[in-house]
Amino acid sequence: MSDRTMTRQVLLFISILSLSSVNGQVSYSIPEEMATGSLVGNIAQDLGLDIKRLKSGKARIYTGNSAEYIELNKERGVLLIRERIDREALCGQTTPCALDFQISLENPMELYPVTVEITDINDNAPSFKKAERRVEISESAVIGSKFVLEKAVDPDIGLNGLQTYSLKPTDNFILKLHSQADGSKKVEMVLQKPLDREKQEHMSLLLTALDGGKPQMSGTMQIHVTVLDANDNAPVFTKTVYTATITENSQKGTVVTTVSASDADKGTNGEVSYLISNGMDSGSELFHINADGVLILDGPIDYEKARNYQIDIEAIDSGGLSDSSKIIIDVIDVNDNSALINLISKSGSIPEDSRLNTVIAMMSVDDPDSENNGKVHCGINENVPFTIKSTSNSFYSLITDSDLDRERASEYNISVTCSDEGVPSLSSSVTLTLQISDVNDNAPVFERSSYEAYIIENNTPGLSIFTVKARDADWNQNARVSYILEDSSINGVPISSYVSVSADSGVIHAVRSFDYEHIKDFQFHVKAQDGGSPPLSSNVTVKIMIQDQNDNAPQVLYPVQTSSSLVAEMVPRSADVGYLVTKVVAVDVDSGQNAWLSYKLQKATDRALFEVGLQNGEIRTIRQVNDKDAVKQRLIVVVEDNGQPSRSATVNVNVAVADSFPEVLSEFTDFTHDKEYNDNLTFYLVLALAVVSFLFITCLVVIISVKIYRWRQSRVLYHSNLPVIPYYPPRYADTLGTGTLQHVYNYEVCRTTDSRKSDCQFARPCSQNVLIMDPSSTGTMQRMQNEQNILDEPDSPIEWKTTLQADPTLM
């Protein structure tokens, strides 16, 4: 390193002495690789500038876009190395290598160009791209054979660059250099002595590259020479014929067999490669042989296509010498084919009444495998009315073996499966679809064994009552059901006068309006007939129940209402509380709750004297008769049924309060005036309505006053401290056979202790005191319109409680 440092100092001294300045341009020459901070030159002195001028002019180096390797020290006025300079990196092989920059000043502005030349030093040794190289040369190579070697590279230039090569040892090879146009040298190794592999198979040479620098630097590359043997022996197979077996359907890549051939030569001359000879045999496309003599399967092997293969093979060394042999391959069969089923003919459909053993399909079956692998047996799926039968070798027939019924199964999917006897067994199948065509073998069947329907009386003619429905298990026209009304009569009247049936839908309509009071139920037959040929049919009984509607008002049977005579019930003045005056008897031709009757007292001459039993129509006294009571008493009783809406009838009951008939006769002479009173009743009602309308405001005031008065009275009565003593009259049963439901009624009478009398008498039968004013007259029943009930006296101290106990068998 001391010699190298000294050399740099000498070069620097020389470069400074060579400084020149022409027209204000300064040039310097420095070696590469100078240390940072090294002196390049005194620029102030060389340019003739004062250091103060450098400072005041703000001197600086301008390099443009180039890197700054040189820096200016304005304090000393010198140029210094700012960054290490590598000439090879900066200029490569270009000469000369120089840095050009300017020094600029201001006030006034001046620009001085500076050039610094970079000179080369021997800092790089020659080098090869690879440290070693291997060369194979045949022992038969002739003298003078040339082998081009890799050139070395030296980044330095001039004497410091690459100058020469040397090769050692030189027993068999010498080195020759050839100059080229670019100044480089081509390096060749030339054989000057024959090679003998048997004496020396390997040799090692050293190639050295040298430059001209001081000190001299060099680079080396190791050359390994391998002497190759000459090809003087041909390969020889171990067998003239090879035999092998392979199972069909073996996978690609299966090893079939291995062949072998030997060569007495060494190296590449002793290396043998194998190949299949070209030929028309398809086996050459199904196999290939590798470098080790292994025969490998390349394609599918099928025993049914070829049972053996013969393949010609060759063994060839690198020199082209060869030998031939043959491989015979036998293919082993496996059960790889299932039976092939071919339909010869088949039927798409057969009628359900087909005979047994009817042929529905014929087919042929074939299996290309050999021996047991090709023996086939066929069968069909279970639970179908068919069987398969072998007619001859490989031919089968599919026939019926039991009766068919389309209604049970209209379609069959018959799977025919054929299996061989191989291990494992293979099978194939085919499915036949067979339609069963219909025949008319099923009659229509109604959904019910009989029908019952209900219809309310007074219906609209043409009303739909209900629908009968029959189903036919057959198909299409054979299952098309029509409904027919069977001829019959009810009380001599054709059934068609009562109902009709829709032929398509089975809807039964009422032809007339029914009256429950005339006919309560009737029945008839409907026939369902299909559209088959001949048609099949079935009958069903239909019963129609007429439901009652409240369309009849009650009819009063007693007392008989007449227009020519007066009938009066006689009550003695000695009659006590509960005295039975008479009984209103009425009937209702309706049924059920529409015939349940209730009785109410609508109007009476003295409402405080009489009452009517709600359920039995008995008219009884509710207090003791006294002398002040009028002889002539008139009662209006309303009879209502329990229908919705309810209907009613009214009856007038005349009562004579007297102890003797003369007294009655004298008082009842004015009864005939009552008729006039009834005739003028309408006029008085109209007149009263007008008066009420006119005096509406006055009535409102009166009503409010009355309400307040009654409310006060009721409060006084409600707060009375008088005890209440219950009284229970005897039971009375309706025994007149009025046609209504039988009931037992309990009447609970509650009277205060300040009533006029606290005891009750049992009433006599209503038939004992009936006064008939005209014995010759006959009674007639008269139906009256329902009248508005008269309000009971609000200040009456008597409270009534009625309990209905119905016959549980009739509820």
Side-chain angles (χ1 to χ4, degrees):
M1 292 296 296
S2 59
D3 294 340
R4 191 169 183 176
T5 302
M6 186 178 294
T7 302
R8 288 183 177 180
Q9 292 177 350
V10 172
L11 290 174
L12 177 60
F13 177 75
I14 295 173
S15 65
I16 293 174
L17 291 178
S18 63
L19 181 148
S20 63
S21 177
V22 181
N23 296 329
Q25 181 175 357
V26 179
S27 299
Y28 298 97
S29 177
I30 62 174
E32 64 174 330
E33 303 292 343
M34 290 181 66
T36 301
S38 299
L39 178 65
V40 177
N42 193 331
I43 190 63
Q45 180 180 350
D46 295 337
L47 292 176
L49 298 175
D50 190 3
I51 294 177
K52 295 181 180 180
R53 169 62 178 152
L54 294 177
K55 295 180 179 180
S56 63
K58 298 179 181 180
R60 65 185 181 88
I61 295 175
Y62 175 74
T63 62
N65 295 327
S66 302
E68 293 186 10
Y69 292 97
I70 308 296
E71 65 178 355
L72 174 63
N73 189 327
K74 290 183 287 183
E75 299 293 335
R76 297 168 53 192
V78 295
L79 296 176
L80 302 177
I81 299 297
R82 179 180 181 182
E83 185 178 347
R84 186 183 69 85
I85 301 173
D86 186 1
R87 191 204 65 81
E88 288 75 29
L90 183 64
C91 299
Q93 296 294 317
T94 303
T95 58
C97 180
L99 294 175
D100 295 319
F101 56 91
Q102 289 80 28
I103 295 177
S104 63
L105 297 174
E106 298 180 1
N107 299 320
M109 298 182 65
E110 294 178 310
L111 193 67
Y112 298 96
V114 178
T115 300
V116 178
E117 181 181 0
I118 309 302
T119 60
D120 182 51
I121 64 174
N122 192 23
D123 58 344
N124 291 284
S127 63
F128 291 94
K129 187 175 182 180
K130 295 181 180 180
E132 62 181 16
R133 179 181 177 181
R134 297 184 181 278
V135 180
E136 293 181 350
I137 303 175
S138 175
E139 63 178 336
S140 61
V142 297
I143 296 175
S145 297
K146 300 178 181 181
F147 304 93
V148 179
L149 302 179
E150 178 185 350
K151 294 184 294 181
V153 177
D154 192 336
D156 294 327
I157 59 175
L159 293 176
N160 294 330
L162 180 63
Q163 298 297 320
T164 185
Y165 294 89
S166 65
L167 181 66
K168 293 181 180 178
T170 59
D171 296 338
N172 298 96
F173 298 94
I174 61 173
L175 197 63
K176 287 188 178 183
L177 302 178
H178 301 279
S179 298
Q180 294 181 318
D182 60 354
S184 63
K185 295 184 180 183
K186 181 180 179 181
V187 183
E188 291 181 344
M189 185 175 64
V190 180
L191 180 64
Q192 66 175 356
K193 182 179 178 180
L195 298 176
D196 189 354
R197 187 194 66 80
E198 287 73 23
K199 292 182 179 181
Q200 188 178 6
E201 186 175 358
H202 301 284
M203 59 184 66
S204 181
L205 305 177
L206 182 63
L207 177 64
T208 303
L210 302 170
D211 62 16
K214 292 183 180 179
Q216 190 178 40
M217 303 181 73
S218 64
T220 61
M221 180 177 67
Q222 195 77 28
I223 299 175
H224 301 282
V225 178
T226 300
V227 180
L228 301 179
D229 183 47
N231 187 24
D232 54 356
N233 293 285
V236 177
F237 276 105
T238 56
K239 294 181 181 180
T240 57
V241 176
Y242 294 88
T243 58
T245 60
I246 187 172
T247 303
E248 67 169 328
N249 297 330
S250 296
Q251 294 183 355
K252 182 179 179 180
T254 301
V255 175
V256 181
T257 188
T258 301
V259 298
S260 177
S262 61
D263 194 317
D265 293 326
K266 300 291 183 178
T268 57
N269 293 329
E271 295 178 357
V272 178
S273 60
Y274 303 91
L275 58 86
I276 297 176
S277 301
N278 294 330
M280 299 300 293
D281 191 352
S282 60
S284 59
E285 299 176 357
L286 297 176
F287 305 92
H288 80 275
I289 192 168
N290 62 14
D292 296 326
V294 179
L295 186 66
I296 300 173
L297 178 65
D298 280 346
I301 297 296
D302 191 352
Y303 174 85
E304 287 70 38
K305 293 182 178 179
R307 301 188 177 186
N308 60 72
Y309 295 92
Q310 295 186 9
I311 301 174
D312 293 326
I313 58 175
E314 293 183 22
I316 303 175
D317 63 16
S318 59
L321 302 179
S322 64
D323 190 16
S324 63
S325 183
K326 181 184 290 291
I327 302 176
I328 299 176
I329 304 172
D330 292 327
V331 180
I332 300 174
D333 182 40
V334 296
N335 190 25
D336 60 341
N337 291 281
S338 58
L340 180 62
I341 303 174
N342 295 314
L343 288 176
I344 300 174
S345 63
K346 68 172 183 176
S347 298
S349 65
I350 60 173
E352 59 179 325
D353 59 349
S354 298
R355 297 180 178 179
L356 297 180
N357 298 324
T358 299
V359 178
I360 61 174
M362 296 183 66
M363 62 194 73
S364 64
V365 181
D366 180 57
D367 191 330
D369 290 325
S370 62
E371 298 180 355
N372 290 339
N373 294 336
K375 294 181 180 180
V376 179
H377 302 281
C378 295
I380 63 174
N381 53 310
E382 297 179 355
N383 301 323
V384 292
F386 307 98
T387 187
I388 191 168
K389 181 179 179 181
S390 177
T391 57
S392 61
N393 187 22
S394 300
F395 288 91
Y396 293 85
S397 295
L398 191 63
I399 61 176
T400 60
D401 69 342
S402 61
D403 294 332
L404 303 177
D405 186 358
R406 192 206 67 84
E407 289 69 40
R408 186 175 65 249
S410 61
E411 180 182 279
Y412 289 96
N413 291 320
I414 308 169
S415 296
V416 179
T417 303
C418 296
S419 304
D420 57 29
E421 296 182 1
V423 179
S425 177
L426 297 180
S427 63
S428 60
S429 62
V430 64
T431 300
L432 307 177
T433 300
L434 181 66
Q435 302 288 338
I436 308 301
S437 59
D438 185 51
V439 296
N440 191 26
D441 56 350
N442 290 279
V445 178
F446 282 96
E447 293 178 344
R448 302 180 187 175
S449 59
S450 63
Y451 291 88
E452 286 186 0
Y454 296 86
I455 184 172
I456 300 176
E457 66 171 331
N458 301 320
N459 59 284
T460 303
L463 177 68
S464 173
I465 303 176
F466 77 108
T467 303
V468 295
K469 192 69 176 179
R471 300 186 182 277
D472 195 316
D474 293 322
W475 183 77
N476 206 356
Q477 186 67 26
N478 295 332
R480 186 171 299 170
V481 179
S482 299
Y483 301 93
I484 303 170
L485 184 63
E486 292 281 359
D487 291 335
S488 62
S489 61
I490 300 175
N491 298 327
V493 180
I495 190 62
S496 58
S497 299
Y498 287 84
V499 292
S500 66
V501 62
S502 175
D504 296 329
S505 62
V507 178
I508 295 178
H509 298 271
V511 175
R512 62 167 62 180
S513 178
F514 298 110
D515 187 358
Y516 176 82
E517 286 69 37
H518 288 82
I519 182 171
K520 292 181 174 54
D521 61 75
F522 61 93
Q523 66 181 21
F524 54 91
H525 298 284
V526 176
K527 179 172 69 174
Q529 180 175 289
D530 61 25
S533 180
L536 301 178
S537 63
S538 61
N539 293 346
V540 70
T541 300
V542 180
K543 186 175 182 180
I544 305 296
M545 310 286 213
I546 311 300
Q547 291 182 328
D548 182 45
Q549 197 175 37
N550 192 25
D551 57 345
N552 292 280
Q555 297 177 1
V556 179
L557 300 180
Y558 184 86
V560 179
Q561 303 294 295
T562 62
S563 59
S564 60
S565 64
L566 294 175
V567 179
E569 302 292 340
M570 187 173 176
V571 177
R573 291 188 180 275
S574 60
D576 208 343
V577 177
Y579 179 82
L580 179 61
V581 178
T582 186
K583 181 175 181 179
V584 178
V585 180
V587 294
D588 195 322
V589 295
D590 292 323
S591 66
Q593 66 178 6
N594 295 331
W596 296 354
L597 302 180
S598 60
Y599 302 85
K600 297 178 182 179
L601 182 60
Q602 185 184 45
K603 187 177 180 182
T605 303
D606 187 355
R607 295 185 63 89
L609 183 57
F610 302 100
E611 68 173 358
V612 178
L614 181 64
Q615 302 298 330
N616 56 17
E618 293 178 348
I619 301 176
R620 294 178 180 272
T621 60
I622 57 177
R623 64 175 174 80
Q624 190 173 4
V625 180
N626 55 41
D627 295 337
K628 296 180 181 180
D629 292 329
V631 176
K632 182 175 59 176
Q633 298 286 335
R634 182 186 179 121
L635 308 177
I636 300 177
V637 179
V638 178
V639 184
E640 290 184 344
D641 60 23
N642 198 34
Q644 293 295 332
S646 65
R647 292 177 177 269
S648 63
T650 59
V651 59
N652 295 326
V653 179
N654 297 317
V655 179
V657 180
D659 292 326
S660 61
F661 284 99
E663 183 183 357
V664 174
L665 293 175
S666 63
E667 292 293 336
F668 272 77
T669 55
D670 295 333
F671 263 44
T672 56
H673 299 289
D674 292 340
K675 191 174 185 301
E676 293 180 14
Y677 171 78
N678 290 332
D679 295 336
N680 296 327
L681 181 60
T682 302
F683 171 77
Y684 292 135
L685 290 175
V686 174
L687 181 60
L689 181 60
V691 173
V692 171
S693 299
F694 180 77
L695 301 176
F696 177 76
I697 298 176
T698 304
C699 290
L700 286 177
V701 176
V702 174
I703 291 173
I704 293 173
S705 301
V706 172
K707 289 293 184 181
I708 294 174
Y709 173 76
R710 290 179 178 177
W711 176 76
R712 290 179 178 177
Q713 289 294 104
S714 63
R715 295 290 294 177
V716 173
L717 179 62
Y718 177 76
H719 292 287
S720 176
N721 294 324
L722 297 177
V724 178
I725 301 174
Y727 171 75
Y728 302 94
R731 297 182 180 179
Y732 295 92
D734 181 6
T735 58
L736 297 179
T738 60
T740 61
L741 296 176
Q742 296 181 3
H743 300 79
V744 177
Y745 304 93
N746 292 334
Y747 295 90
E748 183 180 25
V749 180
C750 300
R751 298 171 60 90
T752 61
T753 56
D754 57 343
S755 299
R756 285 176 295 177
K757 289 185 180 182
S758 60
D759 57 343
C760 295
Q761 294 180 358
F762 290 101
R764 290 168 294 174
C766 62
S767 60
Q768 294 179 0
N769 295 321
V770 178
L771 177 61
I772 301 176
M773 303 306 295
D774 187 0
S776 62
S777 63
T778 57
T780 61
M781 292 189 300
Q782 182 180 1
R783 183 177 302 176
M784 312 239 352
Q785 298 295 327
N786 187 21
E787 296 181 4
Q788 185 178 2
N789 294 332
I790 300 175
L791 294 174
D792 295 331
E793 294 297 329
D795 55 348
S796 175
I798 302 175
E799 297 180 2
W800 297 87
K801 180 178 180 182
T802 305
T803 304
L804 170 62
Q805 295 181 351
D807 187 350
T809 62
L810 300 177
M811 292 301 290

